Amino acid sequence: MLPFARVSIIGLGLIGSSLARAIRAKMPTVRITGTDADPGVRERVRELGLLDDVADSPGAAVVDADLVVLAVPLGAFAAVGAEIAPELAAGAVVSDVGSAKQIVVDSLGPLLPETIHLIPAHPVAGTERSGPDAGFPTLFEGRWCIITPPPGADETALARLSEFWSRLGSKVDLMEPRHHDLVLAVTSHIPHLIAYSIVGTAADLEGVTRGEVIKYSAGGFRDFTRIAASDPTMWRDVFLTNKDAVLEVLGRVSEDLAVLQRAIRWGEGDALFQRFASSRDIRRAIIDAGQDTADPDFGRQH
Amino acid sequence: MLPFARVSIIGLGLIGSSLARAIRAKMPTVRITGTDADPGVRERVRELGLLDDVADSPGAAVVDADLVVLAVPLGAFAAVGAEIAPELAAGAVVSDVGSAKQIVVDSLGPLLPETIHLIPAHPVAGTERSGPDAGFPTLFEGRWCIITPPPGADETALARLSEFWSRLGSKVDLMEPRHHDLVLAVTSHIPHLIAYSIVGTAADLEGVTRGEVIKYSAGGFRDFTRIAASDPTMWRDVFLTNKDAVLEVLGRVSEDLAVLQRAIRWGEGDALFQRFASSRDIRRAIIDAGQDTADPDFGRQH
Ligand SMILES: NC(=O)c1ccc[n+]([C@@H]2O[C@H](COP(=O)([O-])OP(=O)(O)OC[C@H]3O[C@@H](n4cnc5c(N)ncnc54)[C@H](OP(=O)(O)O)[C@@H]3O)[C@@H](O)[C@H]2O)c1
Ligand SMILES: NC(=O)c1ccc[n+]([C@@H]2O[C@H](COP(=O)([O-])OP(=O)(O)OC[C@H]3O[C@@H](n4cnc5c(N)ncnc54)[C@H](OP(=O)(O)O)[C@@H]3O)[C@@H](O)[C@H]2O)c1
């Protein structure tokens, strides 16, 4: 039996449209509705035929749904929550794909009626693109989806949501929302922040032109620009909503960088070598875990 | 006419073996000799048949060569320079592929006889792998090779070396050694240092296990681990030999990161948005310049 029969997706960008495509591919009998704040996006999703019905408002999109998934930037969660709350069917599961999770419990929880089950989730998958044309049905395959049920969450609702993501090809994990936010600060939010920062530094550095930065970017810099091309609205919201964990990890990042800086200043080759040599193990473990390709340079063409 | 007829390559790892392969592919009549400090590498290069003759010492490898290319880590340049100096043929061009350039002028220049033309160069191309099996003939194609002639360098020697790299498919640029070192600090050395640093931070952070870091690395972290899997000896030498430029840029990196940190602390969404939004232009320019793929996520499989 399918975990859900009528799924509504609010926000039809990269993640929302990928979700629609994945449901179509893996659970073709599910009826998919949804909406997006942007009329152009709604129009495009209609053209692409990704949904059974594209509504013009969140309220209209969720009527009847047994699963509602918020796939908008985190800053829009409270507004969407307020709009859908009065329209939700009793017993519906409300979930999301947001990149921070405590904020979802805090901002959405109080808005929803008692008959609704809030089970936040985060598929750890994405690209630097955004919008409905950037989505694709295999985005979640082989990737982890972290579900962060609030204390006392309904077991059946949780089991159904786990089954839903498993059917989409994801591996499912459960976590405390706050722990999720710390782990993702390390594995995703800080890498993005650093990448944005370095790209800004390179663009503004006196003595080196932007043309030079672009020409010689193949030495490593271009890898940072990929991440730093990600959607600025989405990432602004991530840093505003996962502030505590991000600032905590950032403190450690600055300390560790200062240690390397000192080692370079004092010419401590052994310390540098040891630090650098230990990184290879993690790379190997990530490849062994199927979380990246082993092809040199990501298999990029030369 | 070929720019050189007898090329000797000292150091037969990723770059040296790629150079041998590229010469074979593009200038098949060139006689290629060379050597490596590691007997296992010499043996492997013989098996692969990459060279016409694999010598057992740098001195023996360079006799007769009209171009000698050092492709060893920067820390080995002085030792190799001292070994080859007495064996070089009068009029030979000595060049290299080292990732920093002022150090090459300073360490190699004084060792070479007056009849030898030192023309340092740096092909801005590579992967995270090392050793002769990691090399491939198209590594330099479409990439820039930066040549950094010392003041008063012989024009003919410079023209021949430019022609040599052009024939291998590279685009050639000329630069002052010190300026090269600043530009590459930004586009290559600092990205590597940051990547090594972050990978270390993530591995040692209290509250988050290594297993969690590995599992959820697809959110951005895995990109950093690729760069941080690069050869530790090579990178130790880069930071020891390009210390001034690296420390200068690192100071700016820390300042810029502090600005973002403050914006997050004070919840300044507009400042974050503006900073993030400006990064997309550089990404686009890098893709337009043919220095990276436009495929989302580097075209990695999902
Ligand atoms: N991108 C990733 O790599 C990734 C990975 C995992 C999770 N996530 C999470 O997924 C969510 C969506 O990200 P995305 O990458 O799919 O972004 P996206 O491609 O920019 O799509 C978001 C869509 O939501 C719409 N929207 C904004 N406010 C809305 C509202 N109040 N009501 C209805 N629609 C609204 C946006 O319209 P406008 O264009 O008008 O703003 C846009 O079309 C975020 O919470 C993010 O944290 C992203
Ligand atoms: N990797 C890149 O992405 C890249 C890009 C552009 C330029 N470069 C530059 O290219 C050079 C070589 O780097 P690589 O990536 O090719 O490194 P690699 O794959 O580690 O190869 C270097 C080889 O040089 C050998 N070697 C060390 N000392 C030697 C000596 N005194 N005499 C003869 N051989 C010696 C090493 O042997 P052992 O194994 O015994 O040490 C090793 O086989 C470096 O100067 C680097 O800065 C690298």
Side-chain angles (χ1 to χ4, degrees):
Chain A
M1 215 186 75
L2 288 175
F4 299 101
R6 295 174 306 282
V7 177
S8 178
I9 305 168
I10 313 300
L12 299 167
L14 169 69
I15 303 293
S17 77
S18 293
L19 185 57
R21 288 172 168 102
I23 296 171
R24 272 275 186 277
K26 306 286 181 155
M27 295 174 271
T29 58
V30 167
R31 181 176 153 78
I32 315 173
T33 59
T35 192
D36 194 284
D38 185 334
V41 170
R42 296 200 297 271
E43 190 47 40
R44 181 67 185 139
V45 170
R46 284 192 189 104
E47 272 170 33
L48 293 168
L50 299 180
L51 269 55
D52 293 294
D53 186 42
V54 179
D56 283 331
S57 74
V62 302
V63 174
D64 253 19
D66 51 4
L67 172 66
V68 176
V69 182
L70 272 62
V72 298
L74 286 158
F77 272 47
V80 170
E83 281 190 85
I84 62 172
E87 312 295 336
L88 291 165
V93 175
V94 170
S95 189
D96 73 304
V97 295
S99 306
K101 299 268 59 94
Q102 185 62 44
I103 185 73
V104 179
V105 178
D106 294 347
S107 68
L108 225 47
L111 297 172
L112 301 179
E114 290 235 327
T115 56
I116 302 300
H117 305 297
L118 174 63
I119 315 274
H122 175 206
V124 185
T127 75
E128 67 275 25
R129 300 290 171 85
S130 49
D133 284 293
F136 51 99
T138 55
L139 177 61
F140 310 109
E141 260 169 43
R143 296 278 95 86
W144 289 92
C145 181
I146 304 176
I147 302 184
T148 61
D154 184 78
E155 290 296 329
T156 312
L158 174 57
R160 289 166 73 198
L161 192 70
S162 299
E163 172 67 15
F164 175 78
W165 280 104
S166 299
R167 293 225 185 190
L168 299 179
S170 291
K171 301 185 273 188
V172 171
D173 239 346
L174 299 187
M175 238 183 237
E176 293 269 310
R178 270 198 208 289
H179 186 61
H180 165 279
D181 289 356
L182 181 62
V183 172
L184 270 290
V186 179
T187 60
S188 178
H189 307 171
I190 289 290
H192 277 82
L193 190 72
I194 301 272
Y196 279 123
S197 187
I198 297 277
V199 172
T201 304
D204 291 342
L205 201 75
E206 33 320 327
V208 178
T209 68
R210 222 171 244 246
E212 287 173 325
V213 168
I214 290 160
K215 273 165 87 168
Y216 309 118
S217 59
F221 181 73
R222 60 179 179 165
D223 287 35
F224 285 63
T225 65
R226 184 192 77 78
I227 294 189
S230 300
D231 188 63
T233 305
M234 172 197 150
W235 282 100
R236 175 199 63 197
D237 288 1
V238 168
F239 293 113
L240 295 178
T241 56
N242 194 24
K243 178 167 151 172
D244 295 347
V246 165
L247 290 177
E248 184 183 331
V249 179
L250 201 49
R252 274 295 300 275
V253 166
S254 303
E255 279 173 41
D256 290 351
L257 204 52
V259 170
L260 285 178
Q261 187 168 15
R262 213 154 30 227
I264 293 173
R265 195 182 300 285
W266 296 107
E268 295 167 352
D270 290 349
L272 292 175
F273 181 88
Q274 272 159 35
R275 190 68 191 253
F276 297 169
S278 66
S279 298
R280 286 191 159 174
D281 300 341
I282 288 206
R283 175 78 187 155
R284 211 168 294 126
I286 286 173
I287 290 166
D288 291 346
Q291 295 301 311
D292 207 348
T293 168
D295 295 344
D297 220 0
F298 304 119
R300 275 191 285 220
Q301 296 298 317
H302 282 270
Chain B
M1 215 185 74
L2 289 175
F4 299 101
R6 294 173 308 281
V7 177
S8 177
I9 305 169
I10 312 300
L12 298 168
L14 168 69
I15 303 292
S17 76
S18 293
L19 184 58
R21 289 171 168 103
I23 296 171
R24 272 274 186 278
K26 305 287 182 156
M27 294 174 271
T29 58
V30 167
R31 181 176 154 79
I32 314 174
T33 60
T35 192
D36 193 284
D38 184 336
V41 170
R42 297 200 295 270
E43 190 46 40
R44 182 66 186 140
V45 170
R46 284 192 189 105
E47 272 170 34
L48 293 169
L50 300 180
L51 268 54
D52 292 294
D53 185 42
V54 179
D56 282 332
S57 74
V62 302
V63 174
D64 251 18
D66 50 5
L67 172 66
V68 175
V69 182
L70 272 61
V72 298
L74 286 159
F77 271 48
V80 171
E83 282 190 85
I84 62 172
E87 312 295 337
L88 291 165
V93 174
V94 170
S95 188
D96 73 306
V97 296
S99 306
K101 300 268 59 97
Q102 185 61 45
I103 185 74
V104 179
V105 177
D106 294 347
S107 68
L108 224 47
L111 297 171
L112 302 179
E114 290 234 330
T115 57
I116 302 300
H117 306 296
L118 173 64
I119 316 272
H122 175 205
V124 185
T127 76
E128 67 275 25
R129 299 291 172 83
S130 48
D133 284 294
F136 51 99
T138 55
L139 177 61
F140 309 110
E141 260 171 42
R143 295 279 94 87
W144 288 92
C145 181
I146 305 176
I147 302 185
T148 61
D154 182 78
E155 289 297 328
T156 311
L158 174 57
R160 288 166 74 196
L161 192 70
S162 299
E163 172 67 13
F164 175 76
W165 280 102
S166 298
R167 293 225 185 189
L168 299 179
S170 291
K171 301 184 274 188
V172 172
D173 238 347
L174 298 188
M175 239 184 238
E176 294 270 309
R178 270 197 207 289
H179 186 61
H180 166 279
D181 289 357
L182 181 62
V183 172
L184 270 289
V186 179
T187 60
S188 178
H189 307 171
I190 289 290
H192 277 81
L193 190 73
I194 301 271
Y196 279 124
S197 187
I198 297 276
V199 171
T201 305
D204 291 342
L205 201 75
E206 35 316 328
V208 176
T209 69
R210 225 170 243 246
E212 287 172 325
V213 168
I214 290 160
K215 273 165 89 168
Y216 309 119
S217 59
F221 180 73
R222 61 178 176 165
D223 287 35
F224 284 65
T225 65
R226 183 191 77 78
I227 293 188
S230 301
D231 189 64
T233 305
M234 171 196 151
W235 283 100
R236 175 199 64 197
D237 288 1
V238 168
F239 294 114
L240 295 178
T241 55
N242 194 22
K243 181 166 149 171
D244 294 346
V246 165
L247 289 177
E248 183 184 331
V249 179
L250 202 49
R252 273 295 301 274
V253 166
S254 303
E255 279 173 39
D256 289 351
L257 204 51
V259 170
L260 284 178
Q261 187 168 17
R262 215 155 27 228
I264 293 173
R265 196 183 299 285
W266 296 106
E268 293 167 352
D270 290 349
L272 293 175
F273 180 89
Q274 271 160 35
R275 189 69 190 251
F276 298 168
S278 65
S279 298
R280 285 191 158 173
D281 301 341
I282 288 205
R283 176 79 188 153
R284 211 167 295 125
I286 286 173
I287 290 167
D288 291 346
Q291 294 301 311
D292 206 348
T293 167
D295 295 345
D297 221 1
F298 302 120
R300 276 191 285 221
Q301 295 298 317
H302 282 269

